[in-house]
Amino acid sequence: MSDKRTLIDLNDETSDDEEITTQGAAGYAKKPAEIVHSNLYDDVPTTSSLVSEVNENSGNYPLDAQNDHPPLLLEENALISGNITNGDARGNGQIIPDSEPIFHLRSRTAAASTPNYESLDYEVCENVLFQDEQRKRLTERFSPRKGVIRWIIFIQIGIITALIACTIDIIIEELSELKYKFLKNSVDENVPLSDASGKDLMVPFLYWILLSIVPVGIGAAMVTYIEPITAGSGIPQVKSYLNGVKIPRIVRIKTLAVKAIGVITSVVGGLAGGKEGPMIHAGAVVAAGISQGKSTTFVKDFRIFKAFRDDHEKRDFVLGGGAAGVSAAFGAPIGGMLFSLEEAASFWNQNLIWRTLVASIISVFTLNIVLSAYHGLNDFTFTGLFNLGKFDTPLKFDYFELPIFMLLGVIGGLLGAAWNSLNTKINAFRKRFISWKFAKVIEAAVVAMLGVTLACLMIYFINDCRPLGNDPTVHPVQLFCEDNEYNAVASLWFQTPEATVRSLFHDPPGSHKITTLTLFTIIYYVLSCVTFGLNVSLGVFIPTALVGAAWGRLLAMLAFYLFPQANFLHPGKYALIGAAANLGGVLRMTISLSVILMETTGVETSFFFPLIIALISAKWVGDYFNEGIYDTQIEVNHVPILPWEPMPQYKGLTAREIMSSPVVCIKLRDKAHYIYKVLKKCDHNGFPVVDDVRDDRRSEGRICGIILRSQLIVILLKSLYVENKQFWLPETTIQTFRDVYPRYPSIKSVRKLDDNEKYTVDLSMFMNPSPVRVNPHDSVPRIFQIFRALGLRHLLVINNENRVAGIITRRDFIYK
Amino acid sequence: MSDKRTLIDLNDETSDDEEITTQGAAGYAKKPAEIVHSNLYDDVPTTSSLVSEVNENSGNYPLDAQNDHPPLLLEENALISGNITNGDARGNGQIIPDSEPIFHLRSRTAAASTPNYESLDYEVCENVLFQDEQRKRLTERFSPRKGVIRWIIFIQIGIITALIACTIDIIIEELSELKYKFLKNSVDENVPLSDASGKDLMVPFLYWILLSIVPVGIGAAMVTYIEPITAGSGIPQVKSYLNGVKIPRIVRIKTLAVKAIGVITSVVGGLAGGKEGPMIHAGAVVAAGISQGKSTTFVKDFRIFKAFRDDHEKRDFVLGGGAAGVSAAFGAPIGGMLFSLEEAASFWNQNLIWRTLVASIISVFTLNIVLSAYHGLNDFTFTGLFNLGKFDTPLKFDYFELPIFMLLGVIGGLLGAAWNSLNTKINAFRKRFISWKFAKVIEAAVVAMLGVTLACLMIYFINDCRPLGNDPTVHPVQLFCEDNEYNAVASLWFQTPEATVRSLFHDPPGSHKITTLTLFTIIYYVLSCVTFGLNVSLGVFIPTALVGAAWGRLLAMLAFYLFPQANFLHPGKYALIGAAANLGGVLRMTISLSVILMETTGVETSFFFPLIIALISAKWVGDYFNEGIYDTQIEVNHVPILPWEPMPQYKGLTAREIMSSPVVCIKLRDKAHYIYKVLKKCDHNGFPVVDDVRDDRRSEGRICGIILRSQLIVILLKSLYVENKQFWLPETTIQTFRDVYPRYPSIKSVRKLDDNEKYTVDLSMFMNPSPVRVNPHDSVPRIFQIFRALGLRHLLVINNENRVAGIITRRDFIYK
């Protein structure tokens, strides 16, 4: 179902004429609206030719009395069909049989793109039932209890997210250990000496391919066949969700399960991706699940936390869950919270930040305890998690290095922008040509194979032997090297990407050849670009950091090669700066990334400065070319996410020019039959409720409120009619509506209402009586601000007499 | 001038009756509004008795058709006076001579407290002139340039704030150095041996008193006589400003000058305060000054940055300036930015954060370069500023210490809450009994003297001698100690509070006696409590941290005394945790404080965890008792700041119950004379603009827009009348109104308009045509959310026919 009012003429344009003919044939004289209007507003000419003047007039004074009244579109192309009662049709209680809803709509700017995302109802519907509940709570002193429960939920979110993160962590670690140990042994057995022929390397190569494509294939198959929404990192989806876009199935338990297995298989399979992004998603699912106190997947309602069952409350929990997820992924509580704020949050509130922080802290603490126990650390000394390895010696820098850091930032920005652009092109290609499901699984396996092959070729052709001793790797592979030496190339590839980042940060100077790192950087850059967009669950953080660390270290090595006296060129330091620059170039975040890098590597606080310098330069340069990868993904998928500022294309436009009109309205007291028909025939999600309807032209009625499709369906399902009020009134509360949240039944589940024509629905109890309204002459930047700040779903445009002029939804702000 | 509509009957209640009589005497038949209404809305009974029913009805369904129409207050107590023209009075162009504005208003909840704070106009007034400018910019491609200029301003703010901070820093350091060196020499000279009599100590004691009360007296006198708004830290004021409250003279250059001198004198004078709070204020002034490109104090207009001359733009710059100020004060860029966000910002936007961060970074960098140059460091190695001293050995902690940290947090919360409460009581006492200006100066000198005396007594009576060697102080005072020993008590007192915090963090174990620290803690606790609220410019951060560090260290020493084998009890570590706990208890911030403490002491990232644990515990415990010190100050001063959530007292209320009505309205085309009279007689700041006025009852008119008092004054001053349109129309732009920003002339500067009765003002060009409107039955939490999120100044309450029902301003949300 689409919230957008496009192309919903059930009959096409030609049939409009027919309907008008029908109407004419019915023999009713259309009572001119002019007369009704002039009854009161003598000085307002209601020229029906205004419609064509709208665009020309938009430049004039919007409140020039002449143009103040919005175009009465209906008088020109009145599409009202069916029978109209003679005489006064204004009485709200009067029912006009067989009047059809109006379906003609227009919006110049609305994006008519294919994916139909709905909006979430972040606006609290303060209808009568809600107010009743509020009043009941006031007397019950319920409200402090609600605050306490909210805290408990946030703490639970932290704990459970951490436990899930631990499980994923440990399984990945164990399986990778097994895999690379086996491969190392296989290599050692098959390549006994450096004079071996190439043929023997085939066996470990084939093993490696097998151990890559099997897990990747399993993961890709699960993602593709069971839950396609789990593909990718999940951050764009969570961000969209928090912005108010309903991404179907994003916060279900099944999604979580598939995502967890997907991440494990992909990372173990050796794809160029990390587990960090998916952790945010996992946290979000946990938060959404816990806060609702029920699982629709398992058809289990714990009958707790009922008061939190609406989109608004859920949003806050999901933000906390996301933060807990990042915190657990990186072991960085402050970084995780800031990440959520900087990247994901669209709405900000001090109390929310505060709860989010607690969830993050709890999450990191739980993670730390479990991992300490797992690693058998008994000394109970908390040293942080330092997922990317702690720098032993404090990193220092000189002032003259700042331009170098800035330069690295610029390089990061350029490489990041290029990466984003390349990735977008690859994904566009993918979307176009790889649509068959099985092909997607095969593609993932092929990319895994490609990675292994490239790695093998590198290992085979580059002779980079280093003496054993201060081994940066746990599984030194001898391969063609002398005894007491290990193959530095193999050590880069024979571990998870995260471990490789750690190596690049902390390996002593001289651990790699320049050729090795150059080739590695190029291969990994391309590989990560091809990987992100595959139908597997993987994050982009670690591969991006890895590429950055590689070229950062490489540049330091090159510079040291050219200027051997420059001993400030600590390769680990430059690897860190390179990682920051590359991350800044791809993700375009600054504060959270610098804090996360600090928290995961334990560098000095004074090192904030170079990190931030590199990140800011990278962001600035990158922003010149394109948007960050998450925003790009959102845009490519046509998710109608609202940016922080209105798009520049909207400058100078007014509400009149972007609104959709006429609007399908429902009378305050309308026939159940009519409502049923409206719901059947159009898929709008919000209907203005009007009274003072003249001649059954509902879309000219005076605004009383707005009602959601979901509410109307519940009303019809439960038969909440005026005529049988005595039966349902006592037991109908806001809970009646909450019980079906979040999976509202479709109109198809309502049985046909032919025999119920006599029933009337009184919406005054159910509708939201306070929809936000704007004038047709209001500027778009202004109404955008209102729409964004209040997290609205529908914005009603009214004329001077409080009558419906049009409706604006999320999609009207997304210019195409 | 007050934005609040209270007590503005120029005539008191009795005169209302007179006016009605006058009206009756004029012999006009009041045309009943009922008839007009029922003309269109047959089914709506307009019972004039609804007024008295409002409160009873608030519990019913708000959209029950019966109650939907707001009470037509005017029909009962119609206060319309003056002459009403016969017949049709609806024509907008018709001028009715001598009609009086309506001044009776009501608002049940409005706070009628004395200080009259106005609101800032954070809502952009999108009138015709503004739209013209927008259109012109669209063609000129001006908008990217505006973005660039904004960046330049933020960078300038960072640099200049840092330079001011440096200057203050260096002067304080130099003067303190001189002062304490002189005192040390004086002590050394007068107390040659430990067997000296007490009498000789009188000389240095008197010197000390002199060197304290002279600077403190100067500072207090300047603050008291020149600019009283500079008293205190300035953070509550900046916070209020950012919330939308106009604090007079808060962002003037004179304020900055007085504040800077005030801080220097107070810190040098030895008061228990820090320079950190005032730095935020200094940054805010710098930001406001630079962004406006003119100084009204120096009557100098640089004719630049004109597009930023409104409250909305200025607000964003002030936030950036505040962040730059904290960053410079602590040398903590991330911490500074987070401090601004957590404590000061009321509105949040991703781009703003981003600019704020850059300003902070630039600020810290500038500061670092200047201070490096000043200290003569030539090695160009950036090591951070570490204003509170860097911990040499990494701080580690064990799991079993977490409960101890939590306990420290609880203690910090209790002590902090007690401190806040005590401070509030002292200030209330002060407000009541010390109102004379000179008394305030004397009081400051007395407190300074008290501090010196207590310190001297402590030094005199406690014999705490430590061997010289690893000296924690730069000026070891021998006093009564043996040779090769120094007096540990004197070393605590013979330096600035900031340096004492440093000592407590970093002094080796065993630097102080338990008695010394106990007494010091108690004295400083009381002293800082008495000091904060004096009429001097001082921040509360450093004394709070100092008290916390003292008792933290003390507790560690006590515990070590009891359990000598517990060698985890590093006194510096516990001093740091104690400082965090005490800060959390007093200020109630968490994230920013932990980051600031990290950035200023350079502790390990893993030490985030204990800091946050202590801060959270302290905040939780403290919040149970009262609010943070800044919020308390705001509350005590009756600043109408809007909290993040509506107050619980408002639950269940509707707009009808908090709005002020009837409202003084102005017709779209109204007489200049009438406007002049309205402005003369009432001090409202916003007037709804109405048309369709019947019988000259403007307050029942239909809403067209809203106009500000300042705009009306400009219109009258510049004679922008309909009749002489040809003269002013071509050259009148939005700039005409911006030129007088921010010090709008008063109505008194407009010459009397008696002879101008023929002139008419057409407001359609000037008014804001898109005021935000709500229904009378909307719930207060909902309209609060709208008011808060959009940063409004006036919120119009309209009835179903788009007619004025009431108006809601900031003060209506502050329950008394």
Side-chain angles (χ1 to χ4, degrees), chain A residues 40-42 58-59 61-63 88 90 92 123-124 126 128 131-132 134-135 138 143 151 334 337-338 341-342 348-351 353-354 357-358 361 365 368-369 372 379-384 386 390 396-399 402 590-591 594-595 598-599 602-606 608-609 612 616 619-620 644-645 651-652 692 694 702-704 764-765 767 769-775 777-779 782 785-786 789-790 799-802, chain B residues 36 40-43 58-59 61-63 69 90 123-124 126 128 131 134-135 138 143 151 334 337-338 341-342 348-351 353-354 357-358 361 365 368-369 372 379-384 386 390 396-399 402 590-591 594-595 598-599 602-606 608-609 612 616 619-620 644-645 651-652 692 694 702-704 765 767 769-775 777-779 782 785-786 789-790 799-802:
Chain A
L40 229 189
Y41 309 101
D42 293 338
S58 62
Y61 300 156
L63 257 180
D88 194 333
R90 262 181 285 147
N92 281 331
E123 192 187 12
V124 178
E126 296 200 329
V128 175
Q131 285 167 14
D132 284 348
Q134 288 288 315
R135 250 192 302 282
L138 270 185
S143 108
W151 274 112
I334 310 272
M337 202 212 63
L338 289 176
L341 279 186
E342 195 176 355
W348 148 281
N349 181 318
Q350 211 181 22
N351 296 327
I353 304 290
W354 177 217
L357 177 69
V358 171
I361 292 279
F365 188 62
N368 198 64
I369 288 182
S372 297
D379 62 349
F380 290 116
T381 298
F382 185 99
T383 50
F386 300 123
K390 188 168 166 10
K396 283 196 174 159
F397 67 97
D398 297 323
Y399 280 118
L402 286 180
T590 48
I591 313 164
S594 62
V595 175
M598 273 198 50
E599 286 188 296
V603 294
E604 299 284 288
T605 337
S606 59
F608 252 146
F609 202 70
I612 280 281
I616 285 182
K619 183 179 158 67
W620 249 331
W644 284 93
E645 311 275 352
K651 270 188 189 155
D692 191 35
R694 303 180 195 119
R702 201 175 53 190
I703 290 285
C704 296
S764 56
M765 258 179 95
M767 70 180 180
S770 329
V772 178
R773 291 146 298 175
V774 296
N775 288 328
H777 56 73
D778 285 1
S779 80
R782 184 192 162 74
Q785 191 205 1
I786 295 176
L790 301 178
N799 66 18
N800 231 356
E801 295 154 57
N802 222 354
Chain B
V36 182
L40 230 190
Y41 310 100
D42 294 339
D43 48 341
S58 62
Y61 301 157
L63 256 181
H69 293 271
R90 260 179 287 148
E123 194 187 10
V124 178
E126 297 200 328
V128 175
Q131 284 167 15
Q134 289 287 315
R135 248 191 305 282
L138 269 186
S143 108
W151 273 113
I334 309 271
M337 201 212 63
L338 289 176
L341 279 186
E342 195 176 355
W348 148 282
N349 180 321
Q350 210 181 23
N351 296 325
I353 304 291
W354 178 217
L357 176 69
V358 171
I361 291 279
F365 188 61
N368 197 65
I369 286 182
S372 297
D379 63 347
F380 291 115
T381 298
F382 184 99
T383 50
F386 300 122
K390 187 165 164 17
K396 285 196 173 159
F397 68 95
D398 297 322
Y399 280 117
L402 287 180
T590 48
I591 312 165
S594 62
V595 175
M598 271 198 52
E599 286 189 295
V603 294
E604 299 284 288
T605 336
S606 60
F608 253 147
F609 202 70
I612 279 281
I616 285 182
K619 183 179 159 66
W620 249 331
W644 284 94
E645 310 274 352
K651 270 189 190 155
D692 192 34
R694 302 180 196 120
R702 202 175 49 188
I703 290 284
C704 297
M765 257 179 96
M767 70 180 181
S770 328
V772 178
R773 293 145 298 175
V774 296
N775 288 327
H777 56 72
D778 285 0
S779 80
R782 183 193 163 74
Q785 191 205 1
I786 294 176
L790 301 179
N799 67 17
N800 232 356
E801 295 152 55
N802 222 353

